[in-house]
Amino acid sequence: MIVYFDFMRIKDDIKQEALFEATIKLVNETGFAASSVSKIAKQAGISPATIYIYHKNKEELLISTYIQIKKNIGSVIHENFDDSLPIRDILKNVWFKMFNYIAKHPDYFQYTEQFSNSPYQSLVDKREIEKYFDPVINVLLRGIEQKIIKNVNFDILTAFIFYPIVALSNARVCQDLDMNDENIETAFTLAWDAIKL
Amino acid sequence: MIVYFDFMRIKDDIKQEALFEATIKLVNETGFAASSVSKIAKQAGISPATIYIYHKNKEELLISTYIQIKKNIGSVIHENFDDSLPIRDILKNVWFKMFNYIAKHPDYFQYTEQFSNSPYQSLVDKREIEKYFDPVINVLLRGIEQKIIKNVNFDILTAFIFYPIVALSNARVCQDLDMNDENIETAFTLAWDAIKL
């Protein structure tokens, strides 16, 4: 293996990371409309011209930030993914990983939730997102095939096996609920009962 | 019964209604930060001074708009509420009424979802909202008591019996799913399986 440092590349990565964080921070604090490219650039400590190297316009920057978060989630939930486990165990592992990720990055989730309720969501091709979730989607499909999971529309399955996590992780909505391991496990019982045949 | 017209009151109601609709429209289009009291007043066709008669400030206006939507939902789902039906049937009726209401007022839901993911949510006392949902909450409590419904934290129950509706009604998220009566009924089966003992 040849290891070499590409300083331009590292510099680029740092800028990209700063831009990613700045976009999320500014949108969460002031909303999509008030988050101009120049304000995001200022927050990121880079020039607006640099943003335009990577992104055609503000819209494209907001969308790619959303896709990047989804890609991160997809990568985290599939860490040490063991396809040979029983389907219930695989889904339970994914369930816990999602909760842990949201607990670590509540700001990312605030961004994706705002995004999902904005007109920008219509500009995202669902397939583009789904590819990051292929392994877990394939597990659900296998479960349907093996008559372990209900054979219903995929959006309906998703509304019960992934979506409640978003609600339960929103401390503003669940003011009285501490999502400790015990509660995460209890909630998984409900999710599993919802989708299992 | 004495019927009389209070013209000042009617005029007030019309203004209140215009203000309610204008707040939702402007926030949905431009976000919370960009929705100033003066812009909302212009959109509603009333003077900013009139807004300040009813609301101390912008924050108070945004919060009361949120509470008003929740109050409307509470009132709609409890129409013809028949406490004597089996618990599953009561919840199924509420489930259908929620879907119908969201289909009629997607803009209200866009507002409440944005609100739930904004810092404003922390300023709302949950009890203030819950009182509009007392009859259905009591049905859930009765179900727990009668060992029909799982005895778990209420926020967890809610995440499965109400929250999936929001996800499934978001046409931007569920791009391939037509929420016709058949799909609404299928989804209810999953919700019921999640919460039932």
Side-chain angles (χ1 to χ4, degrees):
Chain A
M1 200 172 88
I2 302 167
V3 179
Y4 65 96
F5 294 104
D6 179 339
F7 286 108
M8 287 303 285
R9 161 77 46 175
I10 291 172
K11 217 178 142 195
D12 265 15
D13 284 351
I14 292 170
K15 279 186 187 171
Q16 288 274 32
E17 181 63 24
L19 180 55
F20 176 72
E21 297 292 344
T23 306
I24 292 167
K25 191 168 157 47
L26 207 69
V27 166
N28 285 351
E29 282 174 8
T30 69
F32 287 113
S35 300
S36 63
V37 168
S38 66
K39 279 186 192 158
I40 293 172
K42 203 178 164 191
Q43 173 78 37
I46 59 179
S47 79
T50 309
I51 294 185
Y52 288 114
I53 296 172
Y54 303 113
H55 306 282
K56 217 169 56 193
N57 50 35
K58 171 181 158 179
E59 184 177 286
E60 214 262 337
L61 169 62
L62 297 176
I63 293 171
S64 81
T65 303
Y66 173 78
I67 292 174
Q68 183 60 47
I69 295 174
K70 290 288 184 179
K71 190 177 167 184
N72 290 356
I73 299 169
S75 128
V76 164
I77 65 169
H78 292 116
E79 269 167 23
N80 307 317
F81 195 76
D82 182 355
D83 225 354
S84 69
L85 291 176
I87 287 173
R88 190 183 193 280
D89 294 349
I90 296 175
L91 293 177
K92 195 170 145 182
N93 285 341
V94 168
W95 182 265
F96 269 86
K97 280 177 180 159
M98 289 267 282
F99 271 102
N100 289 334
Y101 188 77
I102 300 185
K104 262 191 228 152
H105 302 287
D107 47 334
Y108 293 6
F109 269 77
Q110 196 186 334
Y111 183 93
T112 56
E113 281 308 285
Q114 280 194 73
F115 190 93
S116 297
N117 290 292
S118 81
Y120 295 115
Q121 177 74 55
S122 326
L123 304 172
V124 176
D125 182 3
K126 240 176 98 171
R127 255 73 31 185
E128 163 91 11
I129 301 297
E130 275 175 2
K131 71 179 182 212
Y132 301 119
F133 296 86
D134 263 349
V136 67
I137 288 173
N138 286 335
V139 167
L140 289 172
L141 289 174
R142 185 150 49 88
I144 292 172
E145 216 175 282
Q146 298 178 351
K147 299 199 190 298
I148 294 169
I149 289 173
K150 292 185 178 104
N151 187 7
V152 300
N153 180 293
F154 230 79
D155 282 334
I156 296 180
L157 280 187
T158 303
F160 290 90
I161 192 73
F162 297 127
Y163 215 75
I165 299 174
V166 179
L168 290 168
S169 297
N170 188 337
R172 297 192 185 99
V173 175
C174 298
Q175 291 170 2
D176 306 321
L177 186 65
D178 169 30
M179 282 318 278
N180 53 30
D181 280 2
E182 196 190 327
N183 281 330
I184 295 175
E185 175 132 19
T186 299
F188 178 73
T189 310
L190 274 77
W192 178 253
D193 286 352
I195 67 162
K196 77 163 183 200
L197 201 62
Chain B
M1 199 172 94
I2 302 168
V3 179
Y4 66 96
F5 295 105
D6 179 340
F7 284 109
M8 287 303 286
R9 158 84 39 180
I10 291 172
K11 219 179 141 193
D12 265 15
D13 284 353
I14 293 170
K15 279 186 188 170
Q16 289 274 33
E17 180 63 25
L19 179 55
F20 176 73
E21 297 291 345
T23 306
I24 292 167
K25 190 169 160 44
L26 207 69
V27 166
N28 284 350
E29 281 174 7
T30 69
F32 287 113
S35 300
S36 62
V37 168
S38 65
K39 279 187 192 157
I40 292 172
K42 202 177 164 191
Q43 174 79 37
I46 59 180
S47 78
T50 309
I51 293 184
Y52 288 114
I53 296 172
Y54 304 113
H55 305 281
K56 218 169 55 193
N57 50 37
K58 172 181 158 180
E59 184 178 286
E60 214 262 338
L61 168 63
L62 297 176
I63 293 171
S64 81
T65 302
Y66 173 77
I67 293 174
Q68 183 62 46
I69 295 174
K70 290 289 184 178
K71 191 177 165 183
N72 290 356
I73 299 168
S75 127
V76 165
I77 65 168
H78 293 115
E79 270 168 22
N80 308 316
F81 195 74
D82 184 354
D83 224 354
S84 68
L85 291 176
I87 286 172
R88 190 185 193 277
D89 294 350
I90 296 175
L91 293 177
K92 194 169 146 184
N93 285 341
V94 168
W95 182 265
F96 268 87
K97 279 177 181 160
M98 289 266 282
F99 271 102
N100 289 333
Y101 189 76
I102 300 184
K104 262 190 226 154
H105 302 288
D107 47 335
Y108 293 6
F109 269 77
Q110 196 185 335
Y111 183 93
T112 56
E113 281 308 285
Q114 281 194 74
F115 191 93
S116 298
N117 291 293
S118 81
Y120 295 114
Q121 178 75 55
S122 326
L123 304 172
V124 177
D125 181 4
K126 240 176 98 171
R127 255 74 33 182
E128 164 93 12
I129 302 295
E130 274 175 3
K131 71 179 183 211
Y132 301 120
F133 295 87
D134 264 347
V136 67
I137 288 173
N138 286 335
V139 167
L140 289 171
L141 289 175
R142 184 150 51 88
I144 293 172
E145 217 175 282
Q146 297 179 352
K147 298 196 189 302
I148 295 170
I149 290 173
K150 292 184 179 104
N151 187 8
V152 300
N153 180 293
F154 230 78
D155 282 334
I156 297 181
L157 280 187
T158 303
F160 290 90
I161 192 74
F162 298 127
Y163 214 77
I165 298 173
V166 178
L168 290 167
S169 297
N170 189 336
R172 296 192 185 100
V173 176
C174 298
Q175 289 170 3
D176 305 321
L177 184 66
D178 169 29
M179 282 316 278
N180 53 30
D181 280 1
E182 197 189 327
N183 281 331
I184 295 175
E185 176 132 16
T186 300
F188 179 74
T189 309
L190 274 76
W192 179 252
D193 285 351
I195 67 162
K196 76 163 184 200
L197 202 60

